[in-house]
Amino acid sequence: MVEPQIHLDPASLNPVEEKLRGPLEDQLTSALQAATHKISDEYAGEPVDAVTGKLLEQTRAGLHPDIAAGFSPDQGELRRVAEAIVHPA
């Protein structure tokens, strides 16, 4: 099973976000991993695009609303996680 990790680009963060980067990365990673496990367990043959959308939706649902509103992951990386669910190694 894939265990995705979220790493924030320090250059894209404001000073407050930079100070909170570690805990924020931990929270985002935890929410994405929980979404990945749930979607993997419930996977029923959906296409990669649908799984990608579910990952984003479920990850945001696992976050505080303020954090979820600002969460915009790299779509290529999110798709890579979805592909690992659809086509497990």
Side-chain angles (χ1 to χ4, degrees):
M1 164 140 341
V2 64
E3 291 292 333
Q5 298 285 317
I6 293 182
H7 300 284
L8 301 173
D9 177 10
S12 69
L13 302 176
N14 67 42
V16 172
E17 292 168 334
E18 177 58 34
K19 287 182 181 181
L20 299 172
R21 185 172 64 146
L24 187 55
E25 285 177 340
D26 291 345
Q27 186 175 16
L28 293 169
T29 295
S30 177
L32 179 56
Q33 287 178 353
T36 300
H37 289 282
K38 180 177 181 178
I39 291 166
S40 292
D41 290 345
E42 297 174 354
Y43 181 67
E46 298 91 349
V48 172
D49 288 339
V51 174
T52 302
K54 284 184 177 184
L55 279 170
L56 182 57
E57 178 182 307
Q58 286 293 318
T59 301
R60 284 187 174 146
L63 296 168
H64 182 280
D66 291 338
I67 295 172
F71 178 58
S72 59
D74 178 298
Q75 289 299 306
E77 290 298 317
L78 201 60
R79 184 176 177 85
R80 183 187 62 75
V81 175
E83 288 171 350
I85 293 170
V86 173
H87 307 291

Coordinates of all heavy atoms in Angstrom, one line a residue:
M1 N 0.9 -1.2 0.0 CA 0.0 0.0 0.0 C 0.9 1.2 0.0 O 1.9 1.3 0.7 CB -0.9 0.0 1.2 CG -1.5 1.3 1.5 SD -3.2 1.5 2.0 CE -4.0 0.1 1.6
V2 N 0.5 2.2 -0.7 CA 1.2 3.5 -0.8 C 1.0 4.3 0.5 O -0.1 4.3 1.0 CB 0.8 4.3 -2.1 CG1 -0.7 4.7 -2.0 CG2 1.7 5.5 -2.3
E3 N 2.0 4.9 1.0 CA 2.0 5.8 2.2 C 2.4 7.2 1.8 O 3.6 7.5 1.9 CB 2.8 5.2 3.3 CG 2.3 3.9 3.9 CD 1.0 4.1 4.7 OE1 0.8 5.2 5.2 OE2 0.3 3.1 4.8
P4 N 1.5 8.0 1.2 CA 1.9 9.3 0.7 C 2.4 10.2 1.9 O 1.9 10.1 3.0 CB 0.7 9.8 0.0 CG -0.4 9.1 0.7 CD 0.1 7.7 1.1
Q5 N 3.3 11.1 1.5 CA 3.8 12.1 2.4 C 3.6 13.5 1.8 O 3.9 13.6 0.6 CB 5.3 11.9 2.7 CG 5.6 10.6 3.4 CD 5.3 10.6 4.8 OE1 5.5 11.6 5.5 NE2 4.7 9.5 5.3
I6 N 3.3 14.5 2.5 CA 3.1 15.8 2.0 C 4.3 16.7 2.5 O 4.5 16.7 3.7 CB 1.8 16.5 2.4 CG1 0.7 15.7 1.7 CG2 1.8 18.0 2.0 CD1 -0.7 16.2 1.9
H7 N 5.0 17.3 1.6 CA 6.0 18.2 2.0 C 5.7 19.6 1.3 O 5.5 19.7 0.1 CB 7.4 17.7 1.4 CG 7.7 16.4 2.0 ND1 8.2 16.2 3.3 CD2 7.7 15.1 1.5 CE1 8.4 14.9 3.5 NE2 8.1 14.3 2.4
L8 N 5.7 20.6 2.1 CA 5.4 22.0 1.7 C 6.6 22.7 1.2 O 7.7 22.5 1.8 CB 4.7 22.8 2.8 CG 3.4 22.1 3.3 CD1 2.9 22.9 4.5 CD2 2.3 22.1 2.2
D9 N 6.5 23.4 0.1 CA 7.6 24.2 -0.4 C 7.8 25.4 0.4 O 6.9 26.3 0.4 CB 7.3 24.6 -1.9 CG 8.4 25.4 -2.5 OD1 9.4 25.6 -1.9 OD2 8.1 25.9 -3.6
P10 N 8.9 25.6 1.1 CA 9.1 26.7 2.0 C 9.0 28.1 1.2 O 8.6 29.1 1.8 CB 10.5 26.5 2.6 CG 10.8 25.1 2.3 CD 10.0 24.6 1.2
A11 N 9.4 28.1 0.0 CA 9.3 29.3 -0.8 C 7.9 29.8 -1.0 O 7.7 31.0 -1.3 CB 10.0 29.1 -2.1
S12 N 6.9 28.9 -0.9 CA 5.5 29.3 -1.2 C 4.8 29.6 0.1 O 3.6 29.9 0.1 CB 4.8 28.1 -1.9 OG 4.6 27.0 -1.0
L13 N 5.5 29.6 1.3 CA 4.8 29.8 2.5 C 5.0 31.2 3.1 O 6.1 31.8 2.9 CB 5.3 28.8 3.6 CG 5.2 27.3 3.2 CD1 5.8 26.5 4.3 CD2 3.7 26.9 3.1
N14 N 4.0 31.8 3.7 CA 4.2 33.0 4.4 C 4.9 32.8 5.7 O 5.1 31.6 6.1 CB 2.9 33.8 4.6 CG 1.9 33.1 5.5 OD1 2.3 32.6 6.6 ND2 0.6 33.1 5.2
P15 N 5.4 33.8 6.4 CA 6.1 33.6 7.7 C 5.4 32.7 8.7 O 6.0 31.9 9.4 CB 6.4 35.0 8.2 CG 6.4 35.8 7.0 CD 5.4 35.2 6.1
V16 N 4.1 32.9 8.9 CA 3.3 32.1 9.9 C 3.3 30.7 9.4 O 3.5 29.8 10.2 CB 1.9 32.7 10.1 CG1 1.1 31.8 10.9 CG2 2.0 34.1 10.7
E17 N 3.0 30.4 8.2 CA 2.9 29.1 7.7 C 4.3 28.4 7.8 O 4.4 27.2 8.1 CB 2.5 29.1 6.2 CG 1.0 29.5 6.0 CD 0.7 29.8 4.5 OE1 1.6 30.1 3.7 OE2 -0.5 29.6 4.2
E18 N 5.4 29.1 7.6 CA 6.7 28.6 7.7 C 7.0 28.1 9.1 O 7.5 27.0 9.3 CB 7.8 29.6 7.2 CG 9.2 29.1 7.4 CD 9.5 27.8 6.6 OE1 9.0 27.6 5.5 OE2 10.3 27.0 7.1
K19 N 6.6 28.9 10.1 CA 6.7 28.5 11.5 C 6.0 27.3 11.8 O 6.4 26.5 12.7 CB 6.3 29.7 12.4 CG 7.3 30.8 12.4 CD 6.9 31.9 13.4 CE 7.9 33.0 13.3 NZ 7.6 34.1 14.3
L20 N 4.8 27.1 11.2 CA 4.0 25.9 11.5 C 4.1 24.8 10.5 O 3.4 23.8 10.5 CB 2.5 26.4 11.5 CG 2.1 27.4 12.5 CD1 0.7 27.9 12.3 CD2 2.3 26.8 13.9
R21 N 5.1 24.9 9.6 CA 5.3 23.9 8.5 C 5.3 22.5 9.0 O 4.6 21.6 8.4 CB 6.5 24.2 7.7 CG 6.7 23.3 6.5 CD 7.8 23.7 5.6 NE 9.0 23.6 6.3 CZ 10.2 23.3 5.7 NH1 10.2 23.1 4.4 NH2 11.3 23.1 6.4
G22 N 6.1 22.1 10.0 CA 6.2 20.7 10.5 C 4.9 20.2 10.9 O 4.4 19.1 10.4
P23 N 4.2 20.8 11.8 CA 2.9 20.3 12.2 C 1.8 20.3 11.1 O 1.0 19.4 11.0 CB 2.4 21.3 13.4 CG 3.7 21.8 13.9 CD 4.6 21.9 12.7
L24 N 1.9 21.3 10.2 CA 1.0 21.4 9.1 C 1.2 20.2 8.1 O 0.3 19.5 7.7 CB 1.1 22.7 8.4 CG 0.1 23.0 7.3 CD1 -1.3 22.9 7.8 CD2 0.4 24.4 6.7
E25 N 2.5 19.9 7.8 CA 2.8 18.8 7.0 C 2.3 17.5 7.6 O 1.8 16.6 6.9 CB 4.3 18.7 6.7 CG 4.9 19.7 5.8 CD 6.4 19.7 5.6 OE1 7.1 19.1 6.5 OE2 6.8 20.2 4.6
D26 N 2.5 17.4 8.9 CA 2.1 16.2 9.6 C 0.5 16.0 9.5 O 0.1 14.9 9.3 CB 2.5 16.2 11.1 CG 4.0 16.1 11.3 OD1 4.7 15.7 10.4 OD2 4.4 16.4 12.5
Q27 N -0.2 17.1 9.7 CA -1.7 17.0 9.6 C -2.1 16.7 8.2 O -3.0 15.8 8.0 CB -2.3 18.3 10.1 CG -3.8 18.2 10.2 CD -4.4 19.5 10.8 OE1 -3.8 20.5 10.8 NE2 -5.7 19.4 11.2
L28 N -1.5 17.3 7.2 CA -1.9 17.1 5.8 C -1.6 15.6 5.5 O -2.4 14.9 4.8 CB -1.2 18.0 4.9 CG -1.6 19.5 5.0 CD1 -0.7 20.4 4.3 CD2 -3.0 19.7 4.6
T29 N -0.4 15.2 5.9 CA 0.0 13.8 5.5 C -0.9 12.8 6.2 O -1.4 11.8 5.6 CB 1.5 13.5 6.0 OG1 2.3 14.4 5.2 CG2 1.9 12.1 5.8
S30 N -1.3 13.0 7.5 CA -2.2 12.1 8.2 C -3.5 12.0 7.5 O -4.1 11.0 7.3 CB -2.3 12.6 9.6 OG -3.2 11.8 10.3
A31 N -4.1 13.2 7.1 CA -5.4 13.2 6.4 C -5.3 12.5 5.0 O -6.2 11.8 4.7 CB -5.8 14.7 6.2
L32 N -4.2 12.7 4.3 CA -4.1 12.1 3.0 C -3.9 10.6 3.2 O -4.5 9.8 2.4 CB -2.9 12.7 2.2 CG -2.6 12.0 0.8 CD1 -3.9 12.1 -0.1 CD2 -1.4 12.7 0.2
Q33 N -3.1 10.1 4.2 CA -2.9 8.7 4.4 C -4.3 8.0 4.8 O -4.6 6.9 4.4 CB -1.8 8.5 5.4 CG -0.5 8.7 4.9 CD 0.6 8.5 5.9 OE1 0.4 8.3 7.1 NE2 1.9 8.6 5.4
A34 N -5.0 8.7 5.7 CA -6.3 8.2 6.1 C -7.2 8.0 4.9 O -7.9 7.0 4.7 CB -7.0 9.0 7.2
A35 N -7.2 9.0 4.0 CA -8.1 9.0 2.8 C -7.6 7.9 1.9 O -8.4 7.2 1.3 CB -8.0 10.3 2.1
T36 N -6.3 7.7 1.8 CA -5.8 6.7 0.9 C -6.2 5.3 1.4 O -6.6 4.4 0.6 CB -4.2 6.8 0.9 OG1 -3.9 8.0 0.3 CG2 -3.6 5.7 0.0
H37 N -6.1 5.1 2.7 CA -6.5 3.8 3.2 C -8.0 3.5 3.0 O -8.4 2.4 2.6 CB -6.2 3.7 4.7 CG -4.7 3.6 5.0 ND1 -4.0 2.4 4.8 CD2 -3.8 4.5 5.4 CE1 -2.7 2.6 5.1 NE2 -2.6 3.9 5.4
K38 N -8.8 4.5 3.3 CA -10.3 4.4 3.2 C -10.6 4.1 1.7 O -11.4 3.1 1.4 CB -11.0 5.6 3.6 CG -12.5 5.5 3.5 CD -13.2 6.7 4.1 CE -14.7 6.6 3.9 NZ -15.4 7.7 4.5
I39 N -10.1 4.8 0.8 CA -10.4 4.7 -0.6 C -9.9 3.3 -1.1 O -10.6 2.6 -1.9 CB -9.9 5.9 -1.4 CG1 -10.7 7.1 -1.0 CG2 -10.0 5.6 -2.9 CD1 -10.2 8.4 -1.5
S40 N -8.7 2.9 -0.7 CA -8.2 1.6 -1.1 C -9.1 0.5 -0.6 O -9.4 -0.5 -1.4 CB -6.8 1.4 -0.5 OG -5.8 2.3 -1.1
D41 N -9.5 0.6 0.6 CA -10.4 -0.4 1.2 C -11.8 -0.5 0.5 O -12.4 -1.6 0.3 CB -10.7 -0.2 2.7 CG -9.5 -0.4 3.5 OD1 -8.5 -1.0 3.0 OD2 -9.5 0.0 4.7
E42 N -12.2 0.6 0.0 CA -13.6 0.7 -0.7 C -13.5 0.6 -2.2 O -14.5 0.7 -2.9 CB -14.3 2.0 -0.3 CG -14.6 2.1 1.2 CD -15.1 3.4 1.6 OE1 -15.2 4.3 0.8 OE2 -15.5 3.5 2.8
Y43 N -12.3 0.5 -2.8 CA -12.1 0.6 -4.2 C -12.9 -0.5 -4.9 O -12.8 -1.6 -4.6 CB -10.6 0.5 -4.6 CG -10.4 0.6 -6.1 CD1 -10.6 1.8 -6.7 CD2 -10.0 -0.5 -6.8 CE1 -10.4 1.9 -8.1 CE2 -9.8 -0.5 -8.1 CZ -10.0 0.7 -8.8 OH -9.8 0.8 -10.2
A44 N -13.6 0.0 -5.9 CA -14.5 -0.9 -6.7 C -14.4 -0.8 -8.2 O -15.4 -0.8 -8.9 CB -16.0 -0.7 -6.2
G45 N -13.2 -0.5 -8.7 CA -12.9 -0.4 -10.1 C -13.1 0.9 -10.7 O -13.2 1.0 -12.0
E46 N -13.2 2.0 -10.0 CA -13.4 3.3 -10.5 C -12.1 3.7 -11.3 O -11.0 3.2 -11.0 CB -13.6 4.4 -9.4 CG -14.9 4.1 -8.6 CD -14.7 3.3 -7.4 OE1 -13.6 2.7 -7.3 OE2 -15.6 3.2 -6.6
P47 N -12.3 4.6 -12.3 CA -11.1 5.1 -13.0 C -10.2 6.0 -12.2 O -10.6 6.5 -11.1 CB -11.7 5.9 -14.2 CG -13.1 6.2 -13.8 CD -13.5 5.2 -12.8
V48 N -9.0 6.2 -12.6 CA -8.0 7.0 -11.9 C -8.5 8.4 -11.6 O -8.3 8.9 -10.5 CB -6.7 7.0 -12.7 CG1 -5.7 8.0 -12.0 CG2 -6.0 5.7 -12.7
D49 N -9.2 9.0 -12.6 CA -9.7 10.4 -12.3 C -10.7 10.4 -11.2 O -10.7 11.4 -10.4 CB -10.3 11.0 -13.6 CG -9.2 11.3 -14.7 OD1 -8.1 11.5 -14.3 OD2 -9.6 11.4 -15.9
A50 N -11.5 9.5 -11.1 CA -12.5 9.4 -10.0 C -11.9 9.2 -8.7 O -12.2 9.8 -7.7 CB -13.6 8.3 -10.3
V51 N -10.8 8.3 -8.7 CA -10.1 8.1 -7.4 C -9.3 9.3 -7.0 O -9.3 9.7 -5.8 CB -9.2 6.9 -7.6 CG1 -8.3 6.7 -6.3 CG2 -10.0 5.6 -7.9
T52 N -8.8 10.0 -8.0 CA -8.1 11.3 -7.6 C -9.0 12.3 -7.0 O -8.7 12.9 -6.0 CB -7.4 11.9 -8.9 OG1 -6.6 10.9 -9.5 CG2 -6.7 13.2 -8.6
G53 N -10.2 12.4 -7.5 CA -11.2 13.3 -6.9 C -11.6 12.9 -5.6 O -11.8 13.7 -4.7
K54 N -11.8 11.6 -5.4 CA -12.1 11.1 -4.0 C -11.0 11.3 -3.0 O -11.3 11.7 -1.9 CB -12.4 9.6 -4.1 CG -13.8 9.2 -4.7 CD -14.0 7.7 -4.6 CE -15.3 7.3 -5.2 NZ -15.5 5.9 -5.0
L55 N -9.8 11.2 -3.5 CA -8.7 11.4 -2.6 C -8.7 12.9 -2.1 O -8.5 13.1 -0.9 CB -7.3 11.2 -3.3 CG -6.9 9.7 -3.3 CD1 -5.7 9.6 -4.2 CD2 -6.6 9.2 -1.9
L56 N -8.9 13.8 -3.0 CA -8.9 15.2 -2.6 C -10.1 15.5 -1.7 O -9.9 16.1 -0.6 CB -9.0 16.1 -3.9 CG -9.0 17.6 -3.6 CD1 -7.7 18.0 -2.8 CD2 -9.1 18.3 -4.9
E57 N -11.2 15.0 -2.0 CA -12.4 15.2 -1.2 C -12.3 14.6 0.2 O -12.6 15.3 1.2 CB -13.6 14.6 -1.9 CG -14.9 14.7 -1.2 CD -16.1 14.0 -1.9 OE1 -16.2 14.3 -3.1 OE2 -16.7 13.1 -1.3
Q58 N -11.8 13.4 0.3 CA -11.7 12.7 1.6 C -10.5 13.4 2.4 O -10.7 13.4 3.6 CB -11.3 11.2 1.4 CG -12.5 10.4 1.0 CD -13.6 10.3 2.0 OE1 -13.3 10.2 3.2 NE2 -14.8 10.5 1.6
T59 N -9.5 13.8 1.8 CA -8.4 14.4 2.5 C -8.9 15.8 3.1 O -8.7 16.0 4.3 CB -7.2 14.7 1.6 OG1 -6.7 13.4 1.1 CG2 -6.0 15.4 2.4
R60 N -9.6 16.5 2.3 CA -10.1 17.8 2.8 C -11.1 17.6 3.9 O -11.2 18.3 4.9 CB -10.8 18.6 1.7 CG -9.8 19.3 0.8 CD -10.5 20.2 -0.2 NE -9.4 20.9 -1.0 CZ -9.6 21.3 -2.2 NH1 -10.7 20.9 -2.9 NH2 -8.6 21.9 -2.8
A61 N -11.9 16.5 3.9 CA -12.9 16.2 4.9 C -12.2 15.9 6.2 O -12.8 16.0 7.3 CB -13.8 15.0 4.5
G62 N -11.0 15.4 6.2 CA -10.2 15.1 7.4 C -9.5 16.2 8.0 O -8.7 16.0 8.9
L63 N -9.6 17.4 7.4 CA -8.9 18.6 7.9 C -9.8 19.6 8.5 O -11.0 19.6 8.2 CB -8.1 19.2 6.7 CG -7.1 18.4 6.0 CD1 -6.7 19.1 4.7 CD2 -5.9 18.2 6.9
H64 N -9.2 20.4 9.3 CA -10.0 21.6 9.9 C -10.4 22.4 8.6 O -9.7 22.5 7.7 CB -9.0 22.4 10.8 CG -9.7 23.6 11.4 ND1 -9.9 24.8 10.7 CD2 -10.2 23.8 12.6 CE1 -10.5 25.6 11.5 NE2 -10.7 25.0 12.7
P65 N -11.6 23.0 8.7 CA -12.1 23.7 7.5 C -11.2 24.8 7.0 O -11.1 25.0 5.8 CB -13.5 24.3 8.0 CG -13.9 23.3 9.1 CD -12.6 22.9 9.7
D66 N -10.5 25.5 7.9 CA -9.6 26.6 7.4 C -8.4 26.0 6.7 O -8.0 26.6 5.7 CB -9.1 27.4 8.6 CG -10.2 28.2 9.2 OD1 -11.2 28.5 8.5 OD2 -10.1 28.6 10.4
I67 N -7.9 24.9 7.1 CA -6.8 24.2 6.5 C -7.3 23.6 5.2 O -6.6 23.7 4.1 CB -6.1 23.2 7.4 CG1 -5.5 23.9 8.6 CG2 -5.1 22.4 6.6 CD1 -5.0 23.0 9.7
A68 N -8.4 23.0 5.2 CA -9.0 22.3 4.0 C -9.2 23.4 2.9 O -8.9 23.1 1.7 CB -10.3 21.6 4.3
A69 N -9.6 24.5 3.2 CA -9.9 25.6 2.2 C -8.6 26.0 1.5 O -8.6 26.4 0.3 CB -10.5 26.8 2.9
G70 N -7.5 25.9 2.2 CA -6.2 26.3 1.6 C -5.4 25.2 1.0 O -4.3 25.4 0.5
F71 N -5.9 24.0 1.1 CA -5.2 22.8 0.7 C -5.4 22.6 -0.8 O -6.5 22.3 -1.3 CB -5.7 21.5 1.4 CG -5.1 20.3 1.0 CD1 -3.7 20.1 1.1 CD2 -5.9 19.2 0.5 CE1 -3.1 18.9 0.7 CE2 -5.3 18.0 0.2 CZ -3.9 17.8 0.3
S72 N -4.3 22.8 -1.6 CA -4.3 22.6 -3.0 C -3.1 21.8 -3.4 O -2.1 22.4 -3.7 CB -4.4 23.9 -3.8 OG -3.3 24.7 -3.4
P73 N -3.2 20.5 -3.3 CA -2.0 19.6 -3.6 C -1.6 19.6 -5.0 O -2.4 20.0 -5.9 CB -2.5 18.2 -3.1 CG -4.0 18.3 -3.3 CD -4.4 19.7 -3.0
D74 N -0.4 19.2 -5.3 CA 0.1 19.0 -6.6 C -0.8 17.9 -7.2 O -0.8 16.8 -6.8 CB 1.5 18.6 -6.6 CG 2.1 18.3 -7.9 OD1 1.6 17.4 -8.6 OD2 3.1 19.0 -8.3
Q75 N -1.5 18.2 -8.3 CA -2.4 17.3 -8.9 C -1.7 16.1 -9.5 O -2.2 15.0 -9.5 CB -3.3 18.0 -10.0 CG -4.3 18.9 -9.4 CD -5.3 18.3 -8.5 OE1 -5.9 17.3 -8.9 NE2 -5.4 18.8 -7.3
G76 N -0.5 16.3 -10.0 CA 0.3 15.1 -10.5 C 0.6 14.1 -9.4 O 0.5 12.9 -9.6
E77 N 1.0 14.6 -8.2 CA 1.3 13.8 -7.1 C 0.0 13.1 -6.6 O 0.1 11.9 -6.3 CB 2.0 14.6 -6.0 CG 3.4 15.0 -6.3 CD 4.3 13.8 -6.6 OE1 4.3 12.9 -5.8 OE2 5.1 13.9 -7.6
L78 N -1.1 13.8 -6.5 CA -2.3 13.2 -6.1 C -2.7 12.1 -7.1 O -3.2 11.0 -6.7 CB -3.4 14.2 -6.0 CG -4.6 13.9 -5.1 CD1 -4.2 13.7 -3.7 CD2 -5.6 15.1 -5.2
R79 N -2.6 12.3 -8.4 CA -2.9 11.3 -9.4 C -2.0 10.1 -9.2 O -2.4 9.0 -9.4 CB -2.8 11.9 -10.8 CG -3.2 11.0 -11.9 CD -3.2 11.6 -13.2 NE -3.5 10.6 -14.2 CZ -4.7 10.3 -14.6 NH1 -5.7 10.9 -14.1 NH2 -4.9 9.4 -15.6
R80 N -0.7 10.3 -8.9 CA 0.2 9.2 -8.7 C -0.3 8.3 -7.5 O -0.2 7.1 -7.6 CB 1.6 9.7 -8.3 CG 2.7 8.6 -8.2 CD 4.0 9.2 -7.7 NE 3.9 9.8 -6.4 CZ 3.8 9.1 -5.3 NH1 3.8 7.8 -5.3 NH2 3.8 9.7 -4.1
V81 N -0.8 8.9 -6.5 CA -1.4 8.1 -5.4 C -2.6 7.3 -5.9 O -2.8 6.2 -5.6 CB -1.7 9.0 -4.2 CG1 -2.4 8.2 -3.1 CG2 -0.5 9.7 -3.6
A82 N -3.4 8.0 -6.6 CA -4.7 7.4 -7.2 C -4.3 6.2 -8.1 O -4.9 5.1 -8.0 CB -5.5 8.4 -7.9
E83 N -3.2 6.4 -8.9 CA -2.8 5.3 -9.8 C -2.3 4.1 -9.0 O -2.5 2.9 -9.4 CB -1.7 5.8 -10.7 CG -2.3 6.7 -11.8 CD -1.2 7.4 -12.6 OE1 0.0 7.3 -12.3 OE2 -1.6 8.0 -13.7
A84 N -1.7 4.4 -7.8 CA -1.2 3.3 -7.0 C -2.4 2.5 -6.4 O -2.2 1.3 -6.1 CB -0.3 3.8 -5.9
I85 N -3.5 3.2 -6.2 CA -4.7 2.5 -5.7 C -5.3 1.7 -6.8 O -5.7 0.5 -6.6 CB -5.7 3.5 -5.1 CG1 -5.1 4.2 -3.8 CG2 -7.1 2.8 -4.8 CD1 -5.9 5.4 -3.3
V86 N -5.4 2.2 -7.9 CA -6.1 1.6 -9.1 C -5.2 0.4 -9.6 O -5.8 -0.6 -10.0 CB -6.4 2.6 -10.2 CG1 -6.9 1.9 -11.5 CG2 -7.4 3.6 -9.7
H87 N -3.9 0.6 -9.6 CA -3.0 -0.4 -10.2 C -1.9 -0.8 -9.1 O -0.8 -0.4 -9.2 CB -2.3 0.1 -11.4 CG -3.2 0.7 -12.5 ND1 -4.0 -0.1 -13.2 CD2 -3.4 1.9 -12.9 CE1 -4.7 0.6 -14.1 NE2 -4.3 1.9 -13.9
P88 N -2.4 -1.5 -8.1 CA -1.4 -1.8 -7.0 C -0.3 -2.7 -7.5 O -0.4 -3.5 -8.4 CB -2.2 -2.6 -6.0 CG -3.4 -3.0 -6.7 CD -3.6 -2.1 -7.8
A89 N 0.9 -2.5 -7.0 CA 2.1 -3.2 -7.4 C 2.1 -4.7 -7.0 O 1.4 -5.1 -6.1 CB 3.4 -2.6 -6.9

